[in-house]
Amino acid sequence: MTVDPHVLARARARVLGVVSADASAPVPSGLTGASDGTRVWLLPQWPDGATPALLEEYDTAPMPLDRPGQQRRVLAAALRCCWTKLDDAPWPGGEAPVIDVLEVYAGMSRGDADLARRWATGELRRLSDTGWLLLDETAGTVRPGPRVALWREESLASLRDLLRRLPQPVREDAPHE
């Protein structure tokens, strides 16, 4: 029995998450590569026309999120800090200090800002595990993940509008102009 390489690739991605390889490595069948020049992240290819709702109906959601509303807000806060040139493509984006992302998220939230920052830290880790962000906890930085590379240009207009409305990162220890 032969297994369709696309099905196998999607199953591996669900189990292993987003895997990276050297940029010169070939991309296996059933996967698509998102490269930043030095690394290539291997992502499953979804059937043409497969909407997120259809994929969720078959329990193969391309964006596994435990708390989708909160994780989307944390992703938006990270993009606000990392995607500074909104006229350009979001991938590969730039690095931003995690503290800036936490401050933007806290500014978007109501209630206790310290609690919001703690929640957002966990969400940053989950978004990194699923390839939406690349989190370097040692360096304290984050940047857009390889899944962002798969967004089609025509779908970015509303996201750009949203990001323009989000607050800029403002920290007490930041230099004042």
Side-chain angles (χ1 to χ4, degrees), residues 45-154:
Q45 290 178 338
W46 297 100
D48 288 342
T51 64
L54 176 66
L55 293 173
E56 284 179 28
E57 186 176 321
Y58 288 96
D59 197 26
T60 58
M63 183 171 68
L65 300 175
D66 296 332
R67 289 179 289 277
Q70 185 169 349
Q71 286 176 337
R72 285 183 183 122
R73 287 188 294 276
V74 172
L75 178 59
L79 289 173
R80 179 67 175 104
C81 297
C82 299
W83 186 15
T84 56
K85 297 178 182 174
L86 293 177
D87 291 334
D88 294 346
W91 173 260
E95 286 186 344
V98 168
I99 192 167
D100 286 355
V101 175
L102 298 178
E103 289 306 310
V104 170
Y105 181 75
M108 296 166 48
S109 305
R110 295 182 192 167
D112 186 338
D114 288 333
L115 181 61
R117 286 184 202 95
R118 285 194 300 272
W119 276 94
T121 300
E123 300 307 338
L124 284 171
R125 290 179 181 130
R126 281 184 271 290
L127 288 164
S128 179
D129 290 344
T130 56
W132 289 104
L133 295 173
L134 295 174
L135 176 64
D136 183 341
E137 290 192 66
T138 304
T141 60
V142 65
R143 70 181 184 105
R147 287 185 186 262
V148 171
L150 302 180
W151 287 339
R152 293 188 175 125
E153 178 60 36
E154 59 270 12

Side-chain angles (χ1 to χ4, degrees), residues 2-35:
T2 304
V3 177
D4 180 339
H6 295 282
V7 172
L8 185 58
R10 289 190 292 271
R12 280 192 181 128
R14 288 182 65 144
V15 172
L16 301 175
V18 179
V19 178
S20 71
D22 187 76
S24 63
V27 176
S29 180
L31 296 172
T32 187
S35 178

